[in-house]
Amino acid sequence: MVDTIQQLVEIESPSDVKAAVDRLGTVIASRFGELGGKVRVHRAEKAGNHIQVSFAARREHKPVLLLGHLDTVYPIGTISKMPFRVSKGRVLGPGVADMKAGIALAFHVVEALLHWNRGQFPRPLSLLLVSDEEIGSPSSRAITESLAPDAEAVLVLEPAQGSQGAVKTARKGVGSYTLRVEGRAAHAGLDFEKGQNAILELARQICALSSLADPARGVTVNVGRVAGGTRANVVPAEATAAIDVRVRSQPDAAELHGIITSRKPFNSHCKILVTGSINRPPLERSSGVITLYEKARTIAKELGWDLEEAAVGGGSDGNFTAALGVPTLDGLGAVGGGAHSPEEFALISELPRRAALLASLIERV
Ligand SMILES: [Zn+2]
C-alpha cells in the first residue's frame, strides 16, 4: 500500500491543472483496469477527467459506490519542497492523506476482495474519482448525483477524523458568496460630499453579516477576503468581500441564503450585488447514516477496535449524496493529519485495519 501511495503522491494533481490531474487519472484507470474493472472516463473540458470504474458481481444487487477525488490543493512543484517520504511510521507528501492514501486503500481492497472471491465480486461495486472536489466539484457534481441514487450506500474515501480515526457522520454545508458594493468616486478633499464610500458601506455590511454567525447552532459566517478602493485621497467607488458560510442543517442553509442574497444597502446611494450559493448541502446525521455507521462499528469491533464517529465543519462530495437521501459514510480513508499543509501525513500502522473495515463494509452493506 505504501508503494501505491508513493506512486500516486508523486504524480502531482492540483485541481486547476487539467493535464496533471488527467495524468493521475490515466494511471489509476489503468491500474483498476488491470484488476478487471470496467473503466469509464467522464471527459471534462476545463477540469480533469473524472474516472468511474465498475465491477460486476455474481448476484444482482444494488452497487456500493466508493467516492473519492484525484485532485489536491498543492500547486505543481510542491513535491520538490515536500517530497514523498516515510518517517517514524508515517507517509508524508502533498495530498497523502487527502486523499491519495484513500485511493490506494480502495485499490488494494478491490484487489483483495477479488482474490478472496476468485475474481468475482461479492456485490457490484462502483468507484468514482472526481477531479475537482477541492474547488467545490463544479464539473463533477452532476455525475456524483446521477450515480448515487442507484447505490445501496456511498462510502467516502476522505481521511478519517483525528488520531483515533473516527468516521464522519455529519458534515456542515458550505456556501460561498461575493458581496460587491458600488458607490461613487470623488476627490477626498475637493468633492468629499459628492462621493459615496463603497468601503464604508462594505464595512457595515461585514459587521451585519458577521453577526449572523451562531457557532452554538453550527452556523458560521467568515468574511475571508476584502478588496476595494484605489488610493487614500479618492472616495472609493467599489469594494468587494468574499464570504464563507457553514451550516449544520438544510433549514439553516435556506435561511442564511435568503438573508445574504437580499441584503439592502445602509447607504441608499450605494448599490449591493451578491453572487454565490450554498454549494454543498449539509451532510446530516440521518437514520440512513446512523445505520451505516452502526454496521461499520460492528465490523470494527470484530477487528478489535472501537470506531468513533465525528461531526466536522468541512464539506466533501459525501454532502451531495447524503442530501439525496442515499446512506453515506464519510472518513473511511486514511488516518492522518495536517491536510492542506506542509506537514500532511498518514499513519502506516492504521492502513491494514482501515482496509479490512472498508472490505467488510463493501461485503456487508
Ligand atoms: Zn478530500
Side-chain angles (χ1 to χ4, degrees):
M1 277 194 267
V2 170
D3 287 345
T4 303
I5 295 170
Q6 175 168 8
Q7 183 191 24
L8 303 184
V9 168
E10 288 181 344
I11 305 170
E12 294 182 283
S13 54
S15 320
D16 56 348
V17 185
K18 175 176 169 62
V21 183
D22 283 349
R23 214 155 28 236
L24 179 65
T26 303
V27 167
I28 290 172
S30 91
R31 287 201 67 173
F32 277 97
E34 280 162 25
L35 294 180
K38 199 169 130 253
V39 175
R40 179 167 172 205
V41 177
H42 296 266
R43 301 206 176 273
E45 213 168 291
K46 283 196 202 117
N49 297 330
H50 315 293
I51 305 293
Q52 183 188 346
V53 190
S54 317
F55 291 90
R58 266 189 299 267
R59 62 191 166 95
E60 282 286 313
H61 207 295
K62 285 171 100 176
V64 168
L65 176 61
L66 297 184
L67 199 52
H69 61 87
L70 300 163
D71 59 326
T72 75
V73 298
Y74 301 90
I76 294 282
T78 306
I79 194 77
S80 60
K81 283 169 266 164
M82 52 183 286
F84 175 87
R85 63 199 165 93
V86 177
S87 168
K88 299 181 184 140
R90 297 171 165 196
V91 279
L92 298 102
V96 68
D98 185 14
M99 65 158 57
K100 293 188 171 174
I103 298 171
L105 269 176
F107 176 82
H108 290 285
V109 161
V110 166
E111 190 181 41
L113 283 171
L114 287 168
H115 182 71
W116 296 333
N117 293 283
R118 299 202 177 83
Q120 268 218 311
F121 249 81
R123 65 172 313 139
L125 180 82
S126 296
L127 167 77
L128 179 65
L129 298 173
V130 306
S131 68
D132 58 352
E133 193 271 348
E134 295 289 6
I135 52 169
S137 308
S139 130
S140 62
R141 178 176 183 169
I143 301 167
T144 302
E145 290 183 336
S146 75
L147 290 181
D150 294 332
E152 182 78 44
V154 177
L155 306 178
V156 187
L157 302 167
E158 291 287 345
Q161 179 68 15
S163 59
Q164 300 306 306
V167 286
K168 295 165 181 173
T169 51
R171 278 185 182 273
K172 284 186 182 176
V174 187
S176 66
Y177 295 89
T178 302
L179 188 147
R180 184 179 145 86
V181 178
E182 286 177 3
R184 191 182 308 135
H187 192 295
L190 300 175
D191 281 326
F192 181 75
E193 290 88 347
K194 287 189 186 159
Q196 303 297 342
N197 191 319
I199 291 178
L200 181 58
E201 174 63 29
L202 183 68
R204 299 173 80 182
Q205 292 292 335
I206 289 171
C207 292
L209 287 168
S210 298
S211 73
L212 296 170
D214 183 357
R217 209 171 89 225
V219 174
T220 60
V221 177
N222 182 58
V223 178
R225 208 180 77 86
V226 292
T230 51
R231 49 182 65 234
N233 62 357
V234 178
V235 176
E238 184 268 331
T240 57
I243 307 154
D244 176 288
V245 175
R246 311 260 163 168
V247 290
R248 225 179 255 156
S249 73
Q250 197 52 56
D252 281 349
E255 188 190 329
L256 264 284
H257 179 77
I259 294 173
I260 293 169
T261 52
S262 60
R263 293 300 308 165
K264 296 277 175 286
F266 290 92
N267 172 355
S268 59
H269 299 291
C270 286
K271 243 185 12 198
I272 284 183
L273 302 139
V274 181
T275 54
S277 62
I278 300 286
N279 47 25
R280 283 188 205 278
L283 190 169
E284 298 187 58
R285 195 176 177 278
S286 65
S287 60
V289 170
I290 295 167
T291 306
L292 204 48
Y293 167 60
E294 289 301 338
K295 271 183 194 160
R297 208 170 151 213
T298 303
I299 292 165
K301 202 155 265 161
E302 291 165 15
L303 296 167
W305 110 87
D306 186 17
L307 179 65
E308 293 170 10
E309 63 177 317
V312 296
S316 86
D317 286 342
N319 290 49
F320 298 139
T321 62
L324 292 173
V326 186
T328 299
L329 193 59
D330 203 332
L332 285 164
V335 180
H340 301 190
S341 89
E343 283 82 41
E344 181 167 352
F345 71 93
L347 292 172
I348 295 170
S349 61
E350 289 284 339
L351 292 171
R353 72 178 188 184
R354 299 307 286 192
L357 171 64
L358 188 57
S360 299
L361 259 178
I362 291 169
E363 283 184 319
R364 284 154 62 174
V365 154

